[in-house]
Amino acid sequence: MTVQIDSLAIGTDNADIATADVDQLFDEVSTLDATIIDAIERRTRLARTLAAATPDATEPDQASDPYADLGNDGHVFSRMLSRLAQITR
């Protein structure tokens, strides 16, 4: 199943909004953002190390793209991660 990130319709009804602890939600989003940044930085370091260790290797096959289920947005995300790893090579 392919799902576009920008089309994820996560609905909330008015009851959910009324009972939500907004500060807690902001804190949770901030925590997730920090976790994502840490993971991207680690992935970038690993990809650069792998590229240095295997200079003759080709790029991974697009068929094995782990973000393919996200549709076009997943392809864009995959390319962004690839560009981050190539910045200082």
mmCIF file of all heavy atoms in Angstrom, residues 26-69:
data_model
loop_
_atom_site.group_PDB
_atom_site.id
_atom_site.type_symbol
_atom_site.label_atom_id
_atom_site.label_comp_id
_atom_site.label_asym_id
_atom_site.label_seq_id
_atom_site.Cartn_x
_atom_site.Cartn_y
_atom_site.Cartn_z
ATOM 1 N N PHE A 26 3.089 19.006 22.266
ATOM 2 C CA PHE A 26 4.248 19.745 21.764
ATOM 3 C C PHE A 26 5.551 19.091 22.236
ATOM 4 O O PHE A 26 6.501 18.952 21.472
ATOM 5 C CB PHE A 26 4.220 21.213 22.198
ATOM 6 C CG PHE A 26 3.392 22.096 21.313
ATOM 7 C CD1 PHE A 26 2.320 22.800 21.827
ATOM 8 C CD2 PHE A 26 3.697 22.239 19.962
ATOM 9 C CE1 PHE A 26 1.555 23.621 21.013
ATOM 10 C CE2 PHE A 26 2.941 23.065 19.145
ATOM 11 C CZ PHE A 26 1.863 23.748 19.669
ATOM 12 N N ASP A 27 5.575 18.685 23.506
ATOM 13 C CA ASP A 27 6.760 18.013 24.046
ATOM 14 C C ASP A 27 7.039 16.709 23.315
ATOM 15 O O ASP A 27 8.188 16.392 22.996
ATOM 16 C CB ASP A 27 6.612 17.749 25.544
ATOM 17 C CG ASP A 27 6.683 19.009 26.387
ATOM 18 O OD1 ASP A 27 7.145 20.057 25.864
ATOM 19 O OD2 ASP A 27 6.278 18.951 27.565
ATOM 20 N N GLU A 28 5.988 15.952 23.050
ATOM 21 C CA GLU A 28 6.161 14.680 22.351
ATOM 22 C C GLU A 28 6.658 14.890 20.923
ATOM 23 O O GLU A 28 7.545 14.180 20.450
ATOM 24 C CB GLU A 28 4.858 13.890 22.350
ATOM 25 C CG GLU A 28 5.028 12.482 21.828
ATOM 26 C CD GLU A 28 3.805 11.606 22.033
ATOM 27 O OE1 GLU A 28 2.886 11.990 22.784
ATOM 28 O OE2 GLU A 28 3.775 10.526 21.410
ATOM 29 N N VAL A 29 6.109 15.892 20.238
ATOM 30 C CA VAL A 29 6.574 16.203 18.881
ATOM 31 C C VAL A 29 8.032 16.637 18.918
ATOM 32 O O VAL A 29 8.845 16.205 18.086
ATOM 33 C CB VAL A 29 5.677 17.282 18.226
ATOM 34 C CG1 VAL A 29 6.308 17.814 16.955
ATOM 35 C CG2 VAL A 29 4.293 16.715 17.921
ATOM 36 N N SER A 30 8.409 17.458 19.881
ATOM 37 C CA SER A 30 9.805 17.892 20.012
ATOM 38 C C SER A 30 10.731 16.713 20.265
ATOM 39 O O SER A 30 11.830 16.635 19.706
ATOM 40 C CB SER A 30 9.947 18.912 21.140
ATOM 41 O OG SER A 30 9.274 20.101 20.802
ATOM 42 N N THR A 31 10.308 15.789 21.109
ATOM 43 C CA THR A 31 11.099 14.595 21.388
ATOM 44 C C THR A 31 11.263 13.753 20.132
ATOM 45 O O THR A 31 12.364 13.276 19.823
ATOM 46 C CB THR A 31 10.441 13.761 22.512
ATOM 47 O OG1 THR A 31 10.379 14.558 23.697
ATOM 48 C CG2 THR A 31 11.221 12.487 22.789
ATOM 49 N N LEU A 32 10.184 13.570 19.392
ATOM 50 C CA LEU A 32 10.258 12.814 18.133
ATOM 51 C C LEU A 32 11.167 13.511 17.129
ATOM 52 O O LEU A 32 11.959 12.849 16.441
ATOM 53 C CB LEU A 32 8.862 12.620 17.544
ATOM 54 C CG LEU A 32 7.981 11.605 18.260
ATOM 55 C CD1 LEU A 32 6.554 11.684 17.726
ATOM 56 C CD2 LEU A 32 8.540 10.207 18.131
ATOM 57 N N ASP A 33 11.073 14.830 17.035
ATOM 58 C CA ASP A 33 11.943 15.576 16.118
ATOM 59 C C ASP A 33 13.409 15.359 16.469
ATOM 60 O O ASP A 33 14.246 15.138 15.588
ATOM 61 C CB ASP A 33 11.617 17.070 16.143
ATOM 62 C CG ASP A 33 10.310 17.403 15.429
ATOM 63 O OD1 ASP A 33 9.808 16.556 14.659
ATOM 64 O OD2 ASP A 33 9.801 18.517 15.655
ATOM 65 N N ALA A 34 13.741 15.407 17.751
ATOM 66 C CA ALA A 34 15.121 15.191 18.177
ATOM 67 C C ALA A 34 15.573 13.769 17.842
ATOM 68 O O ALA A 34 16.705 13.561 17.397
ATOM 69 C CB ALA A 34 15.263 15.463 19.673
ATOM 70 N N THR A 35 14.706 12.807 18.035
ATOM 71 C CA THR A 35 15.021 11.416 17.706
ATOM 72 C C THR A 35 15.255 11.244 16.216
ATOM 73 O O THR A 35 16.196 10.559 15.791
ATOM 74 C CB THR A 35 13.886 10.484 18.180
ATOM 75 O OG1 THR A 35 13.729 10.635 19.595
ATOM 76 C CG2 THR A 35 14.180 9.031 17.850
ATOM 77 N N ILE A 36 14.430 11.890 15.412
ATOM 78 C CA ILE A 36 14.570 11.818 13.950
ATOM 79 C C ILE A 36 15.890 12.446 13.513
ATOM 80 O O ILE A 36 16.624 11.882 12.698
ATOM 81 C CB ILE A 36 13.356 12.484 13.260
ATOM 82 C CG1 ILE A 36 12.099 11.629 13.480
ATOM 83 C CG2 ILE A 36 13.623 12.689 11.768
ATOM 84 C CD1 ILE A 36 10.804 12.340 13.134
ATOM 85 N N ILE A 37 16.214 13.619 14.058
ATOM 86 C CA ILE A 37 17.475 14.292 13.710
ATOM 87 C C ILE A 37 18.658 13.415 14.094
ATOM 88 O O ILE A 37 19.605 13.247 13.318
ATOM 89 C CB ILE A 37 17.576 15.673 14.395
ATOM 90 C CG1 ILE A 37 16.511 16.618 13.841
ATOM 91 C CG2 ILE A 37 18.976 16.268 14.234
ATOM 92 C CD1 ILE A 37 16.652 16.957 12.380
ATOM 93 N N ASP A 38 18.618 12.836 15.297
ATOM 94 C CA ASP A 38 19.703 11.945 15.726
ATOM 95 C C ASP A 38 19.847 10.759 14.773
ATOM 96 O O ASP A 38 20.967 10.381 14.409
ATOM 97 C CB ASP A 38 19.465 11.439 17.148
ATOM 98 C CG ASP A 38 19.677 12.510 18.208
ATOM 99 O OD1 ASP A 38 20.299 13.554 17.900
ATOM 100 O OD2 ASP A 38 19.210 12.296 19.348
ATOM 101 N N ALA A 39 18.728 10.172 14.380
ATOM 102 C CA ALA A 39 18.764 9.017 13.483
ATOM 103 C C ALA A 39 19.306 9.409 12.105
ATOM 104 O O ALA A 39 20.088 8.657 11.497
ATOM 105 C CB ALA A 39 17.366 8.405 13.354
ATOM 106 N N ILE A 40 18.920 10.569 11.607
ATOM 107 C CA ILE A 40 19.410 11.022 10.299
ATOM 108 C C ILE A 40 20.917 11.290 10.368
ATOM 109 O O ILE A 40 21.656 10.930 9.448
ATOM 110 C CB ILE A 40 18.638 12.267 9.817
ATOM 111 C CG1 ILE A 40 17.213 11.870 9.426
ATOM 112 C CG2 ILE A 40 19.353 12.943 8.644
ATOM 113 C CD1 ILE A 40 16.297 13.033 9.141
ATOM 114 N N GLU A 41 21.371 11.906 11.463
ATOM 115 C CA GLU A 41 22.810 12.156 11.608
ATOM 116 C C GLU A 41 23.587 10.844 11.672
ATOM 117 O O GLU A 41 24.628 10.703 11.028
ATOM 118 C CB GLU A 41 23.075 13.005 12.852
ATOM 119 C CG GLU A 41 22.635 14.438 12.690
ATOM 120 C CD GLU A 41 22.735 15.250 13.969
ATOM 121 O OE1 GLU A 41 22.938 14.663 15.069
ATOM 122 O OE2 GLU A 41 22.599 16.488 13.872
ATOM 123 N N ARG A 42 23.079 9.864 12.413
ATOM 124 C CA ARG A 42 23.746 8.560 12.497
ATOM 125 C C ARG A 42 23.743 7.867 11.147
ATOM 126 O O ARG A 42 24.748 7.312 10.718
ATOM 127 C CB ARG A 42 23.076 7.679 13.551
ATOM 128 C CG ARG A 42 23.676 6.281 13.626
ATOM 129 C CD ARG A 42 23.398 5.606 14.954
ATOM 130 N NE ARG A 42 23.729 4.205 14.948
ATOM 131 C CZ ARG A 42 24.968 3.715 14.917
ATOM 132 N NH1 ARG A 42 25.992 4.531 14.878
ATOM 133 N NH2 ARG A 42 25.179 2.406 14.933
ATOM 134 N N ARG A 43 22.602 7.906 10.449
ATOM 135 C CA ARG A 43 22.512 7.287 9.126
ATOM 136 C C ARG A 43 23.495 7.930 8.159
ATOM 137 O O ARG A 43 24.141 7.262 7.365
ATOM 138 C CB ARG A 43 21.089 7.402 8.585
ATOM 139 C CG ARG A 43 20.899 6.677 7.266
ATOM 140 C CD ARG A 43 19.606 7.099 6.576
ATOM 141 N NE ARG A 43 19.384 6.322 5.387
ATOM 142 C CZ ARG A 43 20.003 6.513 4.223
ATOM 143 N NH1 ARG A 43 20.910 7.477 4.115
ATOM 144 N NH2 ARG A 43 19.747 5.754 3.183
ATOM 145 N N THR A 44 23.618 9.249 8.232
ATOM 146 C CA THR A 44 24.542 9.972 7.355
ATOM 147 C C THR A 44 25.981 9.538 7.615
ATOM 148 O O THR A 44 26.743 9.274 6.679
ATOM 149 C CB THR A 44 24.377 11.494 7.540
ATOM 150 O OG1 THR A 44 23.037 11.850 7.182
ATOM 151 C CG2 THR A 44 25.353 12.272 6.675
ATOM 152 N N ARG A 45 26.358 9.464 8.897
ATOM 153 C CA ARG A 45 27.716 9.003 9.231
ATOM 154 C C ARG A 45 27.967 7.592 8.718
ATOM 155 O O ARG A 45 29.022 7.298 8.138
ATOM 156 C CB ARG A 45 27.947 9.064 10.746
ATOM 157 C CG ARG A 45 28.157 10.457 11.291
ATOM 158 C CD ARG A 45 28.641 10.444 12.738
ATOM 159 N NE ARG A 45 27.794 9.665 13.636
ATOM 160 C CZ ARG A 45 26.723 10.149 14.272
ATOM 161 N NH1 ARG A 45 26.382 11.423 14.105
ATOM 162 N NH2 ARG A 45 26.028 9.382 15.081
ATOM 163 N N LEU A 46 27.003 6.694 8.925
ATOM 164 C CA LEU A 46 27.155 5.311 8.471
ATOM 165 C C LEU A 46 27.240 5.224 6.947
ATOM 166 O O LEU A 46 28.066 4.480 6.410
ATOM 167 C CB LEU A 46 25.990 4.456 8.978
ATOM 168 C CG LEU A 46 25.937 4.208 10.477
ATOM 169 C CD1 LEU A 46 24.632 3.536 10.860
ATOM 170 C CD2 LEU A 46 27.128 3.383 10.923
ATOM 171 N N ALA A 47 26.413 5.990 6.248
ATOM 172 C CA ALA A 47 26.432 5.974 4.786
ATOM 173 C C ALA A 47 27.762 6.496 4.253
ATOM 174 O O ALA A 47 28.310 5.955 3.274
ATOM 175 C CB ALA A 47 25.267 6.797 4.222
ATOM 176 N N ARG A 48 28.311 7.543 4.890
ATOM 177 C CA ARG A 48 29.608 8.073 4.461
ATOM 178 C C ARG A 48 30.724 7.066 4.722
ATOM 179 O O ARG A 48 31.623 6.892 3.897
ATOM 180 C CB ARG A 48 29.903 9.387 5.178
ATOM 181 C CG ARG A 48 29.032 10.519 4.703
ATOM 182 C CD ARG A 48 29.277 11.779 5.483
ATOM 183 N NE ARG A 48 28.400 12.840 5.002
ATOM 184 C CZ ARG A 48 28.244 14.000 5.607
ATOM 185 N NH1 ARG A 48 28.913 14.271 6.706
ATOM 186 N NH2 ARG A 48 27.427 14.906 5.113
ATOM 187 N N THR A 49 30.673 6.385 5.869
ATOM 188 C CA THR A 49 31.668 5.353 6.179
ATOM 189 C C THR A 49 31.564 4.207 5.181
ATOM 190 O O THR A 49 32.586 3.719 4.676
ATOM 191 C CB THR A 49 31.468 4.832 7.614
ATOM 192 O OG1 THR A 49 31.588 5.931 8.517
ATOM 193 C CG2 THR A 49 32.476 3.758 7.965
ATOM 194 N N LEU A 50 30.359 3.785 4.888
ATOM 195 C CA LEU A 50 30.144 2.720 3.916
ATOM 196 C C LEU A 50 30.646 3.124 2.534
ATOM 197 O O LEU A 50 31.311 2.339 1.846
ATOM 198 C CB LEU A 50 28.657 2.361 3.856
ATOM 199 C CG LEU A 50 28.251 1.217 2.942
ATOM 200 C CD1 LEU A 50 28.954 -0.068 3.354
ATOM 201 C CD2 LEU A 50 26.750 1.035 2.960
ATOM 202 N N ALA A 51 30.387 4.350 2.136
ATOM 203 C CA ALA A 51 30.843 4.826 0.829
ATOM 204 C C ALA A 51 32.369 4.867 0.761
ATOM 205 O O ALA A 51 32.964 4.528 -0.266
ATOM 206 C CB ALA A 51 30.264 6.206 0.541
ATOM 207 N N ALA A 52 32.999 5.249 1.856
ATOM 208 C CA ALA A 52 34.462 5.290 1.886
ATOM 209 C C ALA A 52 35.052 3.888 1.860
ATOM 210 O O ALA A 52 36.105 3.661 1.263
ATOM 211 C CB ALA A 52 34.941 6.040 3.131
ATOM 212 N N ALA A 53 34.371 2.947 2.489
ATOM 213 C CA ALA A 53 34.868 1.571 2.552
ATOM 214 C C ALA A 53 34.626 0.805 1.260
ATOM 215 O O ALA A 53 35.320 -0.162 0.974
ATOM 216 C CB ALA A 53 34.208 0.835 3.716
ATOM 217 N N THR A 54 33.646 1.240 0.475
ATOM 218 C CA THR A 54 33.297 0.546 -0.767
ATOM 219 C C THR A 54 33.188 1.557 -1.907
ATOM 220 O O THR A 54 32.094 1.776 -2.451
ATOM 221 C CB THR A 54 31.973 -0.216 -0.613
ATOM 222 O OG1 THR A 54 30.953 0.710 -0.202
ATOM 223 C CG2 THR A 54 32.077 -1.332 0.406
ATOM 224 N N PRO A 55 34.305 2.189 -2.301
ATOM 225 C CA PRO A 55 34.241 3.263 -3.299
ATOM 226 C C PRO A 55 33.751 2.808 -4.678
ATOM 227 O O PRO A 55 33.243 3.630 -5.435
ATOM 228 C CB PRO A 55 35.672 3.779 -3.375
ATOM 229 C CG PRO A 55 36.508 2.678 -2.842
ATOM 230 C CD PRO A 55 35.656 1.938 -1.860
ATOM 231 N N ASP A 56 33.896 1.537 -5.008
ATOM 232 C CA ASP A 56 33.474 1.055 -6.324
ATOM 233 C C ASP A 56 32.036 0.558 -6.348
ATOM 234 O O ASP A 56 31.540 0.160 -7.395
ATOM 235 C CB ASP A 56 34.402 -0.068 -6.794
ATOM 236 C CG ASP A 56 35.821 0.437 -7.000
ATOM 237 O OD1 ASP A 56 35.976 1.638 -7.319
ATOM 238 O OD2 ASP A 56 36.760 -0.362 -6.818
ATOM 239 N N ALA A 57 31.375 0.565 -5.204
ATOM 240 C CA ALA A 57 30.001 0.071 -5.133
ATOM 241 C C ALA A 57 29.056 1.035 -5.836
ATOM 242 O O ALA A 57 29.268 2.246 -5.858
ATOM 243 C CB ALA A 57 29.578 -0.102 -3.683
ATOM 244 N N THR A 58 28.000 0.497 -6.407
ATOM 245 C CA THR A 58 26.987 1.323 -7.064
ATOM 246 C C THR A 58 25.905 1.688 -6.055
ATOM 247 O O THR A 58 25.821 1.106 -4.978
ATOM 248 C CB THR A 58 26.355 0.574 -8.245
ATOM 249 O OG1 THR A 58 25.748 -0.630 -7.748
ATOM 250 C CG2 THR A 58 27.400 0.245 -9.297
ATOM 251 N N GLU A 59 25.078 2.618 -6.429
ATOM 252 C CA GLU A 59 23.965 3.017 -5.583
ATOM 253 C C GLU A 59 22.999 1.843 -5.425
ATOM 254 O O GLU A 59 22.844 1.039 -6.333
ATOM 255 C CB GLU A 59 23.207 4.196 -6.211
ATOM 256 C CG GLU A 59 23.957 5.500 -6.160
ATOM 257 C CD GLU A 59 24.040 6.064 -4.751
ATOM 258 O OE1 GLU A 59 23.048 6.002 -4.009
ATOM 259 O OE2 GLU A 59 25.117 6.553 -4.395
ATOM 260 N N PRO A 60 22.330 1.739 -4.275
ATOM 261 C CA PRO A 60 21.350 0.664 -4.084
ATOM 262 C C PRO A 60 20.248 0.729 -5.130
ATOM 263 O O PRO A 60 19.887 1.806 -5.612
ATOM 264 C CB PRO A 60 20.779 0.929 -2.693
ATOM 265 C CG PRO A 60 21.757 1.823 -2.026
ATOM 266 C CD PRO A 60 22.454 2.592 -3.114
ATOM 267 N N ASP A 61 19.716 -0.417 -5.453
ATOM 268 C CA ASP A 61 18.638 -0.531 -6.436
ATOM 269 C C ASP A 61 17.389 0.179 -5.932
ATOM 270 O O ASP A 61 17.022 0.063 -4.763
ATOM 271 C CB ASP A 61 18.342 -2.007 -6.675
ATOM 272 C CG ASP A 61 17.299 -2.232 -7.759
ATOM 273 O OD1 ASP A 61 16.970 -1.283 -8.487
ATOM 274 O OD2 ASP A 61 16.828 -3.379 -7.859
ATOM 275 N N GLN A 62 16.731 0.930 -6.805
ATOM 276 C CA GLN A 62 15.513 1.648 -6.418
ATOM 277 C C GLN A 62 14.416 0.698 -5.945
ATOM 278 O O GLN A 62 13.558 1.071 -5.169
ATOM 279 C CB GLN A 62 15.001 2.495 -7.596
ATOM 280 C CG GLN A 62 15.868 3.687 -7.927
ATOM 281 C CD GLN A 62 15.921 4.704 -6.803
ATOM 282 O OE1 GLN A 62 15.001 4.828 -6.020
ATOM 283 N NE2 GLN A 62 17.029 5.413 -6.710
ATOM 284 N N ALA A 63 14.438 -0.564 -6.431
ATOM 285 C CA ALA A 63 13.417 -1.523 -6.030
ATOM 286 C C ALA A 63 13.501 -1.816 -4.533
ATOM 287 O O ALA A 63 12.525 -2.228 -3.922
ATOM 288 C CB ALA A 63 13.563 -2.804 -6.832
ATOM 289 N N SER A 64 14.661 -1.602 -3.918
ATOM 290 C CA SER A 64 14.819 -1.874 -2.498
ATOM 291 C C SER A 64 14.665 -0.611 -1.649
ATOM 292 O O SER A 64 15.096 -0.585 -0.506
ATOM 293 C CB SER A 64 16.182 -2.517 -2.241
ATOM 294 O OG SER A 64 17.208 -1.604 -2.555
ATOM 295 N N ASP A 65 14.071 0.422 -2.186
ATOM 296 C CA ASP A 65 13.888 1.676 -1.458
ATOM 297 C C ASP A 65 12.966 1.451 -0.257
ATOM 298 O O ASP A 65 11.794 1.137 -0.416
ATOM 299 C CB ASP A 65 13.292 2.738 -2.384
ATOM 300 C CG ASP A 65 13.145 4.091 -1.726
ATOM 301 O OD1 ASP A 65 13.495 4.230 -0.533
ATOM 302 O OD2 ASP A 65 12.674 5.022 -2.403
ATOM 303 N N PRO A 66 13.492 1.614 0.963
ATOM 304 C CA PRO A 66 12.664 1.355 2.142
ATOM 305 C C PRO A 66 11.541 2.381 2.337
ATOM 306 O O PRO A 66 10.649 2.163 3.142
ATOM 307 C CB PRO A 66 13.661 1.420 3.306
ATOM 308 C CG PRO A 66 14.779 2.257 2.799
ATOM 309 C CD PRO A 66 14.846 2.021 1.311
ATOM 310 N N TYR A 67 11.592 3.466 1.585
ATOM 311 C CA TYR A 67 10.580 4.513 1.734
ATOM 312 C C TYR A 67 9.550 4.502 0.601
ATOM 313 O O TYR A 67 8.743 5.420 0.487
ATOM 314 C CB TYR A 67 11.254 5.888 1.825
ATOM 315 C CG TYR A 67 12.324 5.906 2.878
ATOM 316 C CD1 TYR A 67 13.670 5.886 2.538
ATOM 317 C CD2 TYR A 67 11.994 5.905 4.225
ATOM 318 C CE1 TYR A 67 14.661 5.869 3.513
ATOM 319 C CE2 TYR A 67 12.974 5.882 5.208
ATOM 320 C CZ TYR A 67 14.301 5.867 4.841
ATOM 321 O OH TYR A 67 15.272 5.844 5.802
ATOM 322 N N ALA A 68 9.569 3.474 -0.216
ATOM 323 C CA ALA A 68 8.670 3.384 -1.373
ATOM 324 C C ALA A 68 7.202 3.415 -0.969
ATOM 325 O O ALA A 68 6.365 3.949 -1.706
ATOM 326 C CB ALA A 68 8.971 2.134 -2.185
ATOM 327 N N ASP A 69 6.880 2.877 0.204
ATOM 328 C CA ASP A 69 5.480 2.869 0.639
ATOM 329 C C ASP A 69 4.931 4.267 0.886
ATOM 330 O O ASP A 69 3.729 4.444 1.003
ATOM 331 C CB ASP A 69 5.314 2.045 1.916
ATOM 332 C CG ASP A 69 5.380 0.554 1.646
ATOM 333 O OD1 ASP A 69 5.351 0.151 0.467
ATOM 334 O OD2 ASP A 69 5.465 -0.221 2.624
#
